[in-house]
DNA sequence: ACGAACGTTAACGCAAACGTCATGGTTTTC
DNA sequence: GAAAACCATGACGTTTGCGTTAACGTTCGT
């Protein structure tokens, strides 16, 4: 069952695990490692994950599976990113502008690095895709030669970054 | 020093490691795990890696770092791929056509799977890149607002697959 | 109000992918 | 021909990222 708390809907760990396609163990592990802030709890101690929490978990999966970062790296990144929400939260009190700017700059750098990495990987993938398409053509040629076979066409490759 | 053996140039393990940006340990490990065929040796037992060997190592790195496969998976893939070179080698003797066709079909399937995975990952990356670009814009907006700063433009995203 | 389903912490286990010696042979260089 | 640089094998160690089990508390459906 999905829970409610004020206006928001919360998931307990089983549903959250299902939603994110991770295990409960993994969620607890991420929390233990500091990648997830301790979620709110029910009176009995059951964890309740907010929509934000779920999003963050998705973000972790992306960084891990898609870009191949270690959990330690991801932790650093998320901490750097949190600067935005943190600053918004304490925006008026303690208006130490210089330090805030510095932290935003750091977050910006993180983002730039991630974008650069994505671009690099996408280029390499495009390259690799081209090679695989060639190889596929060779296989198809052989199959046609030996067994007069119908071979499905290769879908178009994707454009690469400059 | 680079070695020669007939017409080809061979690298011993130190140079090979440097070239591929792996460690000697890793190369021996890959060999031990059956991902690399035992390379030729010098009289004293030193390993000599051919250009083909180096290429194969690069292939392994790609599959690991770019697509995130485990070494076990990679081993299977490489074995399936080897079908082509194997068939070429023994092409006329033992002309068991049916079996050969089947093995080529298997290799073809491997290739198709890899292409599909690449396309999927590229789509996800494009999506993620877009989000990062948005985030970057927000950072830039904040920096401009607080410190009247010059911010470099974001290079264009790459095209996604259909 | 009671059993089924779900959750909690703590602790140990484990496979993958190497790192790091130790010990001893080989090749190159001067 | 001897030191310096390089390599081989073997064995044990390490880190990461969870899996699994145990022992026990909570929530829910009826």
């Amino acid at each position: 069952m999905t829970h409610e708390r004020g206006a928001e809907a919360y998931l307990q760990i089983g549903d959250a695990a299902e939603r994110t396609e991770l295990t409960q163990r993994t969620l607890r592990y991420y929390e233990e490692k500091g990648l997830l802030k301790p979620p709110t709890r029910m009176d009995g101690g059951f964890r309740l994950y907010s929509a934000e929490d779920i999003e963050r978990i998705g973000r972790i999966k992306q960084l891990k599976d898609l870009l191949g970062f270690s959990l330690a790296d991801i932790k650093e990144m998320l901490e750097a990113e949190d600067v935005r929400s943190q600053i918004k939260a304490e925006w008026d009190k303690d208006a130490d502008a210089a330090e805030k700017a510095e932290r935003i700059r750091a977050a910006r750098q993180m983002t730039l690095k991630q974008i650069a990495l994505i671009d690099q990987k996408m280029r390499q993938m495009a390259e690799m895709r081209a090679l695989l398409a060639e190889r596929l053509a060779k296989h198809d040629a052989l199959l046609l030669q030996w067994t007069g076979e119908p071979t499905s066409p290769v879908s178009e490759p994707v454009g690469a970054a400059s």
Side-chain angles (χ1 to χ4, degrees), chain A residues 39-158:
Chain A
T40 55
R41 305 266 189 150
M42 308 192 339
D43 288 2
F46 286 22
R47 269 165 262 247
L48 287 181
Y49 293 92
S50 72
E52 274 185 35
D53 292 334
I54 302 293
E55 264 190 69
R56 190 187 179 90
I57 294 168
R59 195 75 212 304
I60 294 174
K61 262 193 87 177
Q62 272 191 337
L63 289 171
K64 191 170 108 56
D65 296 343
L66 210 55
L67 299 193
F69 287 117
S70 72
L71 295 186
D73 287 345
I74 295 175
K75 190 190 171 188
E76 276 190 72
M77 291 181 178
L78 292 183
E79 277 167 2
E81 286 177 10
D82 280 346
V83 103
R84 285 210 307 116
S85 41
Q86 276 192 22
I87 283 183
K88 276 197 179 175
E90 47 170 65
W91 114 312
D92 35 22
K93 61 177 172 184
D94 171 76
D96 189 346
E99 197 209 341
K100 285 183 189 174
E102 205 41 60
R103 281 161 66 189
I104 292 196
R105 244 187 295 273
R108 198 184 116 92
Q109 283 310 104
M110 275 279 99
T111 308
L112 277 177
K113 265 173 91 171
Q114 289 179 28
I115 290 182
L117 184 64
I118 288 187
D119 287 351
Q120 185 202 339
K121 287 215 171 198
M122 288 192 74
R123 271 193 298 272
Q124 292 179 36
M125 282 192 179
E127 212 178 306
M128 188 171 171
R129 212 209 112 111
L131 287 179
L132 289 176
E134 270 186 49
R135 175 173 313 191
L136 194 64
K138 284 182 190 166
H139 287 156
D140 288 353
L142 280 189
L143 278 181
L144 187 136
Q145 176 186 346
W146 296 75
T147 72
E149 200 132 346
T151 42
S152 51
V154 196
S155 58
E156 338 102 39
V158 331

